[in-house]
Amino acid sequence: MLSRLIVGGRTTLLITVSAVLIALVAGLILGLAAGYLGGRTDEIIMRLLDVVFAFPVLLLAIAVVAALGPTVPNLILTIAIVYTPAMARVVRAPVLSVKQWDHVEAARSVGMSEMRLVLRHILPIVVSPILVATSLTLSQTIFTVTALSFLGLGPPPPDPNWGGMLSEARQFMELAPLTVVGPALAIVFATLTFIIIANGLREVLDVGSVR
């Protein structure tokens, strides 16, 4: 049981972290482009993301995984697509404000290139809320991954994962309750860990003042 719990944690966390990193990169690019360029570019990007954002996260993930197949790469791709709009919004909001600050206007007036201006004067300032949002997204993604696995849309057997272990243990709850308690506690512990990290980052980086 302990061996399956450890190996299942590796699979679950691999999917979670990989999907969030892809969503972070995609959301960072889209959010920077929408916030900095503004105008029609902002309108097009945000309307396209709103189409994805309009669907409930779990229902959209179930639909995409059911269509593509329950493999690890498909799970990573699906969850990345689902959480990209939220990451893009987190990036876009502070960029809209920071791009109007005096030091950014000064850098633009001396002829600094747009790419260098974004990377040197805008991105370092908005990185704080991005880190906090990433930690919170990790906690949400764990629940999404385990829910998909619980419904039979996770990595196929014999590879263990926490959601799949919970689903398999339902019929043995009265005879062997630890088969349910183990993966459930692992999910809760991992989720609380990312939430505590996010709260710590929020206090240390003073995200409220940045926004």
Side-chain angles (χ1 to χ4, degrees):
M1 181 66 191
L2 178 60
S3 299
R4 287 178 58 81
L5 196 64
I6 294 173
V7 176
R10 181 182 63 185
T11 303
T12 302
L13 293 177
L14 171 65
I15 297 173
T16 299
V17 174
S18 300
V20 171
L21 287 178
I22 296 174
L24 173 62
V25 173
L28 186 63
I29 295 173
L30 294 174
L32 284 173
Y36 183 75
L37 297 177
R40 180 165 296 181
T41 301
D42 182 21
E43 186 72 17
I44 293 174
I45 291 175
M46 297 313 297
R47 294 296 77 78
L48 290 175
L49 294 179
D50 285 343
V51 173
V52 180
F53 198 77
F55 294 92
V57 170
L58 186 58
L59 291 181
L60 180 59
I62 290 174
V64 176
V65 172
L68 297 179
T71 63
V72 172
N74 288 342
L75 282 170
I76 294 174
L77 178 61
T78 297
I79 296 172
I81 292 173
V82 168
Y83 284 103
T84 294
M87 299 299 294
R89 287 189 172 191
V90 170
V91 175
R92 173 181 175 270
V95 170
L96 289 173
S97 174
V98 172
K99 72 175 184 178
Q100 299 177 358
W101 288 7
D102 293 340
H103 76 284
V104 177
E105 294 292 342
R108 186 181 292 111
S109 65
V110 298
M112 180 176 291
S113 66
E114 301 291 341
M115 182 64 69
R116 186 180 177 187
L117 192 150
V118 170
L119 295 179
R120 184 171 180 179
H121 293 286
I122 295 181
L123 183 58
I125 296 177
V126 303
V127 71
S128 299
I130 295 173
L131 291 176
V132 175
T134 301
S135 298
L136 289 175
T137 304
L138 285 169
S139 65
Q140 297 168 1
T141 304
I142 287 180
F143 273 114
T144 304
V145 173
T146 53
L148 290 173
S149 300
F150 185 83
L151 295 173
L153 297 174
D159 294 336
N161 59 84
W162 291 341
M165 292 174 67
L166 277 177
S167 180
E168 295 169 359
R170 286 180 300 170
Q171 55 185 325
F172 307 114
M173 288 179 61
E174 296 182 359
L175 297 176
L178 285 180
T179 58
V180 176
V181 173
L185 286 178
I187 295 170
V188 172
F189 177 77
T191 303
L192 289 177
T193 299
F194 288 123
I195 292 176
I196 292 172
I197 291 174
N199 291 333
L201 288 173
R202 183 183 288 110
E203 294 179 1
V204 171
L205 300 174
D206 194 12
V207 174
S209 64
V210 173
R211 291 182 178 176

